[in-house]
Amino acid sequence: MAMNRRNFVQRILMALGAAGASANASEGQAAADSSKAAGSDGGYIRPGTIEVIHRSFDVIVVGGGISGTCAAISAARNGARTAVVHERSTLGGNSSSEVRLYPEDTCAFSPWIKEGGILEEIASEERARNWEPYIEGMMNSQWDLVLYEWVKREKNLSLFLNTTMREVQMKDRAHIQAIHAPQLGTEREFVLAAPLFIDATGDGVLGYRAGADFHWGKEVRSVFGESLAPAEPTTGLMGNTLYYRACDAGRPVPFTRPDWAAEFATEGDLTDRDHGHFECGYWWIEVGTPLHPIHDNEEIRDVALSQLLGVWDHIKNHCTRDDIRERAQNYALEFIGFWPYKRESRRILGDYTLTEKDVHDPSIHGDDIAYGAWGIDIHLPGGILERHVPPYPPPRTDENFHQRGTIPYGIPLRSCYSRNIRNLFSAGRPIGASYVAFASSRVLATGAMVGQGVGAAAGLCVKHECEPGTIARDHADELQQLLLRQDASIPGIENTDRNDLARRAKVTASSEATLLFPESQTFHAARLGLGQLFPVSSGSLDGIDLLLQSTSTQPQTVRLSLRKVGQVWDFRTSPTLASANASLGPGHQGYVSFPLRAKTSPGSLYFVSIEPNPEIAWALFSDAVGQPSQVPVGSTAADLPPGNKWRPLTGGHSFVIRISPEQHPYAAQNVARGTNRPDRWTNIFLSDPAQGLPAWLELRFPGPVSFNQVQITFDTDTNRRIPLPLFRYPECVKRYEIAVAQSSGWKTVVAQDGNYFRRRVHRIDPVTANRLRIHMLESNGSPQARVYEVRVYNEEA
């Protein structure tokens, strides 16, 4: 039998070889008989060596970074036959394991703003699988794999990896017809045609080659009247970064700097560039001006690699901090990036240009599709080549927050398509923004949200057989409601979906939590003005108690002011409604009462503040990383740096207060109103944690209704992004059942276990009932049930 098997294998190999020889001979003869294509410098190019494949789609996304990936998934989910064309072998772009920049933590800039939607799905799955923490410079192939899986499982989506768009074929001056894209390793070139295209290339390459109008570099101050724009023209641009990964080898590992690497002999050579945590590399190993971020990409890689190895040599051999140098003895470079993380981009001009005012003092645009929350983050031109200059002004510092801090702002669809190439959307860095606004909107997490938005817009273009501008003009409300249903968020936009049966229901629950601020013995000095935002469900506030401490040897007077505010992250000036004074004795520590007797609007947000006094401190509670959040949902602590612009204390903090009368802002009815995160209200149901789980929610409809889909939005802590490995948000409901009332009693139609996703959509057999109940049996660690939204639909097959 063994001899027979060997003979069989040999016959197969011989047959394959003969077939290959025959095919090669045939191909060679065909090539010899074909006409020869002229070379650009004389000679000729042998024809027939590359297979040209023509395919057509509804939407083609060029660029498979995080914005392009989310755009492609969104378009496919919204009914468009979609292709995503990506020139690398892994999806993710700057976030891939090839580059290792994680989607930034916008929660560091504003509260209750962690991105939802497709990015939240991907991030939740990656954290549940990945054994390494979510840290800049440590993105590994688990992230790549989740992105790949999320793309491949979409039936309307075709993935072209290792495929580079080289040429753009125009139908006319205003419309792209197709792209020409050779694929590495297959000897194929694809000609991909579609009525709609999305430029998610990062560099705006598709728009550029199609002739789209664009901006590059910094506009002068007079163009948009921006305070942070330069008064005179300048060519200085932000740079590109290479990351590295260092691992503990368990024994000393020497490092010798190559003679071509840069040298950083002293601490002064790394001015204001902290290098205490050296495992993951640094964003500030950044090379920019005078090199061009696109045309000089290869040279930037070479220079950045020289700088990276020089920094590592400093850490290993020259650092004057003994704790760093000694700890680094056992560390060796396990990974070095060779594909730079880019910051700059062409910015494709649409019908609206996002500017400094939009991100600094935002208002609602009628066609907003996404939001940004990152600070105005303009880096030092030249980067580490200017080693003796601090790398950039941090947006959240006391001295910079007034100018560089942002308030979560909407991004309109009109900024996300080309004004002159009428079938071209943009997503990610290339959207239409001034340079100052771009310094905020350029980050990955914002790009992912924009990608989801334009993907959904492309789906509506297919549905309505129209171009992007028509969606912005005539179908913006339809697009916004579609995005909210798919767990995107848009500041100030709420659920008005007429097809959502839950909006007609009266909602009750087994229990409801009251507003309770956790206590703390950690006190935060009032070096600046301090304040606390909170939700109010009553028609009046009798008074508020603050847990305060005085370090003074003299009596101190504290003045408390009360204002109404519009959103959980927006402290812009509004009139003082009430104020009260209280006196603290020397060395006092305890609650201090402030009588207010103020009329309030139920279902609104209010803000109390005290004036600066370094001898007074206010107790500040901080959530523990990895533990269920205790900071009240829809509350925000803040301080007031110079410049009269309140700054949220992000990352899970609340000042300690007691409110009279007792407030009930977490009612069951919240799941059928508003939107899917704190905004103008808490928008969440919380069961009473004292009663524990199980808990239930019940929707009672005005009469019997027919439905076949139930959508639930659970809580995965919109206030914090947790970097722990193998992590599932403890606030998220893990095990639950959905039941409907029938004449014979409650009938279970869904039983789910092991959940850690925020949004769950359950399609069930059609049913008619006047009551629906969700039984939440177990969470991933929280003692209470937490639900943002319930939607009910009767979808056509």
Side-chain angles (χ1 to χ4, degrees):
M1 289 294 292
M3 180 62 70
N4 290 340
R5 178 175 175 79
R6 282 196 297 271
N7 292 339
F8 174 75
V9 171
Q10 288 173 352
R11 288 197 301 273
I12 291 294
L13 292 174
M14 291 174 63
L16 288 173
S22 175
N24 289 339
S26 175
E27 290 169 2
Q29 184 62 44
D33 294 341
S34 300
S35 59
K36 303 179 180 67
S40 60
D41 297 318
Y44 66 92
I45 298 172
R46 291 185 65 244
T49 62
I50 297 176
E51 180 184 9
V52 179
I53 300 174
H54 294 259
R55 293 187 63 180
S56 61
F57 298 89
D58 296 326
V59 178
I60 294 174
V61 181
V62 181
I66 194 64
S67 63
T69 298
C70 289
I73 292 171
S74 179
R77 289 181 179 179
N78 285 289
R81 295 181 302 109
T82 305
V84 57
V85 177
H86 189 51
E87 65 183 0
R88 315 300 292 180
S89 59
T90 59
L91 293 165
N94 282 339
S95 72
S96 73
S97 64
E98 188 179 24
V99 181
R100 303 201 175 190
L101 173 72
Y102 66 171
E104 294 88 342
D105 184 11
T106 50
C107 301
F109 285 86
S110 287
W112 310 108
I113 206 66
K114 190 182 77 173
E115 291 76 11
I118 295 169
L119 178 61
E120 168 69 10
E121 296 173 25
I122 293 167
S124 294
E125 181 66 19
E126 188 270 347
R127 279 299 85 203
R129 293 186 191 183
N130 206 329
W131 62 92
E132 290 196 313
Y134 182 85
I135 296 174
E136 187 174 58
M138 289 185 67
M139 303 300 287
N140 61 23
S141 291
Q142 287 298 318
W143 177 260
D144 303 337
L145 183 59
V146 173
L147 292 174
Y148 176 81
E149 288 181 18
W150 250 241
V151 166
K152 293 293 285 186
R153 70 184 190 179
E154 294 296 331
K155 64 180 181 180
N156 280 338
L157 182 52
S158 297
L159 174 61
F160 295 84
L161 289 175
N162 300 307
T163 305
T164 303
M165 179 202 67
R166 291 299 184 200
E167 295 177 326
V168 177
Q169 180 176 320
M170 301 298 293
K171 178 181 179 182
D172 53 48
R173 290 173 65 103
H175 295 88
I176 302 171
Q177 184 175 54
I179 61 168
H180 293 239
Q183 187 175 61
L184 182 67
T186 63
E187 297 182 349
R188 291 174 174 171
E189 179 176 335
F190 293 95
V191 179
L192 305 177
L196 296 163
F197 292 81
I198 299 174
D199 187 335
T201 60
D203 289 334
V205 179
L206 174 56
Y208 171 68
R209 292 182 183 170
D213 295 338
F214 68 91
H215 277 170
W216 176 263
K218 299 176 180 178
E219 302 91 355
V220 295
R221 189 171 303 161
S222 60
V223 174
F224 295 113
E226 297 173 310
S227 64
L228 289 173
E232 301 295 333
T234 177
T235 58
L237 298 173
M238 293 183 281
N240 301 354
T241 291
L242 288 181
Y243 285 102
Y244 69 79
R245 175 74 190 279
C247 292
D248 189 344
R251 56 187 175 84
V253 179
F255 177 79
T256 301
R257 180 179 62 85
D259 57 9
W260 52 267
E263 184 175 7
F264 297 87
T266 69
E267 297 301 314
D269 290 332
L270 290 172
T271 301
D272 285 357
R273 292 169 171 85
D274 179 66
H275 44 284
H277 300 283
F278 52 73
E279 289 87 347
C280 311
Y282 307 102
W283 62 263
W284 46 255
I285 301 179
E286 172 184 0
V287 175
T289 302
L291 299 175
H292 191 284
I294 297 175
H295 302 147
D296 297 326
N297 191 52
E298 290 291 292
E299 187 176 353
I300 286 175
R301 188 265 328 284
D302 294 343
V303 176
L305 188 59
S306 165
Q307 302 296 309
L308 183 155
L309 294 175
V311 170
W312 184 243
D313 171 61
H314 174 86
I315 291 168
K316 292 281 287 186
N317 301 318
H318 304 291
C319 185
T320 58
R321 284 182 51 183
D322 292 342
D323 59 321
I324 295 177
R325 195 175 65 256
E326 290 174 7
R327 191 165 66 87
Q329 285 182 1
N330 287 5
Y331 276 77
L333 293 175
E334 181 268 339
F335 165 84
I336 298 172
F338 277 79
W339 186 255
Y341 149 46
K342 292 185 178 183
R343 293 178 177 87
E344 296 286 348
S345 175
R346 301 181 181 97
R347 305 186 301 283
I348 297 171
L349 298 178
D351 288 333
Y352 186 91
T353 300
L354 208 66
T355 67
E356 179 182 313
K357 185 181 186 304
D358 290 296
V359 306
H360 200 259
D361 186 24
S363 56
I364 295 174
H365 310 101
D367 61 330
D368 283 337
I369 61 167
Y371 65 85
W374 196 255
I376 299 173
D377 190 5
I378 303 173
H379 289 212
L380 172 72
I384 199 170
L385 300 182
E386 301 288 340
R387 59 172 64 184
H388 300 297
V389 181
Y392 80 127
R396 280 188 57 82
T397 58
D398 290 355
E399 61 271 20
N400 293 324
F401 185 75
H402 177 68
Q403 274 198 312
R404 296 176 182 265
T406 61
I407 298 170
Y409 55 90
I411 298 174
L413 179 60
R414 287 167 295 151
S415 295
C416 303
Y417 58 76
S418 168
R419 69 187 185 186
N420 67 306
I421 305 299
R422 290 164 48 189
N423 64 339
L424 176 63
F425 288 98
S426 60
R429 298 202 313 275
I431 67 170
S434 72
Y435 190 84
V436 174
F438 159 81
S440 169
S441 68
R442 64 181 174 82
V443 297
L444 296 181
T446 303
M449 300 305 293
V450 172
Q452 180 169 351
V454 300
L460 287 186
C461 284
V462 174
K463 173 184 174 182
H464 294 294
E465 298 182 345
C466 66
E467 295 177 341
T470 303
I471 299 297
R473 185 180 65 249
D474 298 336
H475 303 286
D477 180 71
E478 180 184 1
L479 175 58
Q480 290 174 335
Q481 292 303 311
L482 180 64
L483 287 167
L484 289 185
R485 182 175 175 179
Q486 296 173 358
D487 196 34
S489 296
I490 306 168
I493 306 301
E494 298 184 350
N495 175 15
T496 60
D497 188 349
R498 290 175 293 180
N499 295 322
D500 179 9
L501 301 175
R503 296 181 63 237
R504 311 175 200 170
K506 180 180 179 181
V507 190
T508 56
S510 54
S511 67
E512 295 175 348
T514 59
L515 177 61
L516 179 66
F517 282 81
E519 293 194 340
S520 171
Q521 291 303 307
T522 299
F523 286 85
H524 187 85
R527 180 180 59 85
L528 305 171
L530 302 178
Q532 178 66 49
L533 180 150
F534 55 92
V536 172
S537 59
S538 63
S540 65
L541 283 178
D542 298 335
I544 294 182
D545 301 340
L546 276 57
L547 184 53
L548 299 177
Q549 180 187 72
S550 172
T551 59
S552 176
T553 58
Q554 302 295 321
Q556 297 290 313
T557 297
V558 176
R559 183 172 183 81
L560 181 86
S561 299
L562 173 72
R563 295 190 293 118
K564 186 179 180 181
V565 294
Q567 293 169 298
V568 291
W569 47 68
D570 190 349
F571 305 94
R572 281 177 286 189
T573 302
S574 59
T576 298
L577 302 178
S579 59
N581 293 337
S583 182
L584 279 68
H588 172 90
Q589 180 172 315
Y591 280 99
V592 178
S593 297
F594 295 86
L596 292 173
R597 293 182 289 277
K599 295 294 184 183
T600 53
S601 301
S604 300
L605 303 173
Y606 288 82
F607 183 65
V608 292
S609 60
I610 62 174
E611 297 171 352
N613 184 340
E615 295 184 304
I616 298 296
W618 193 349
L620 181 68
F621 173 83
S622 301
D623 274 329
V625 175
Q627 298 300 310
S629 175
Q630 297 182 58
V631 167
V633 177
S635 71
T636 304
D639 64 11
L640 184 60
N644 200 36
K645 183 176 183 178
W646 287 90
R647 173 179 58 186
L649 303 183
T650 57
H653 304 284
S654 58
F655 286 113
V656 181
I657 63 175
R658 296 188 305 210
I659 303 171
S660 177
E662 187 175 76
Q663 302 297 311
H664 301 270
Y666 306 120
Q669 196 65 40
N670 284 345
V671 303
R673 58 153 284 176
T675 184
N676 52 24
R677 67 172 62 237
D679 187 337
R680 292 168 171 162
W681 184 238
T682 63
N683 299 317
I684 194 171
F685 157 71
L686 303 179
S687 68
D688 184 353
Q691 296 191 24
L693 295 173
W696 54 260
L697 273 171
E698 183 176 311
L699 282 68
R700 182 183 291 269
F701 303 100
V705 296
S706 298
F707 56 91
N708 57 12
Q709 185 183 115
V710 180
Q711 175 177 320
I712 310 172
T713 304
F714 294 113
D715 182 20
T716 52
D717 196 352
T718 61
N719 203 26
R720 299 182 297 165
R721 188 175 294 283
I722 304 299
L724 297 177
L726 301 175
F727 180 74
R728 303 179 181 195
Y729 282 91
E731 297 84 359
C732 188
V733 172
K734 176 182 179 182
R735 184 164 62 95
Y736 60 94
E737 296 175 352
I738 302 174
V740 296
Q742 303 285 271
S743 58
S744 58
W746 288 100
K747 176 185 177 182
T748 299
V749 294
V750 172
Q752 180 70 48
D753 195 5
N755 177 59
Y756 47 88
F757 289 105
R758 170 178 153 88
R759 176 177 177 261
R760 296 305 305 259
V761 178
H762 295 283
R763 292 170 177 83
I764 62 175
D765 292 335
V767 64
T768 299
N770 68 343
R771 288 189 294 163
L772 178 150
R773 184 174 282 191
I774 303 170
H775 295 271
M776 289 152 287
L777 308 174
E778 184 182 359
S779 74
N780 285 286
S782 172
Q784 64 185 163
R786 302 164 71 104
V787 180
Y788 273 110
E789 189 174 52
V790 177
R791 292 178 179 233
V792 180
Y793 292 95
N794 192 31
E795 294 281 82
E796 296 181 3

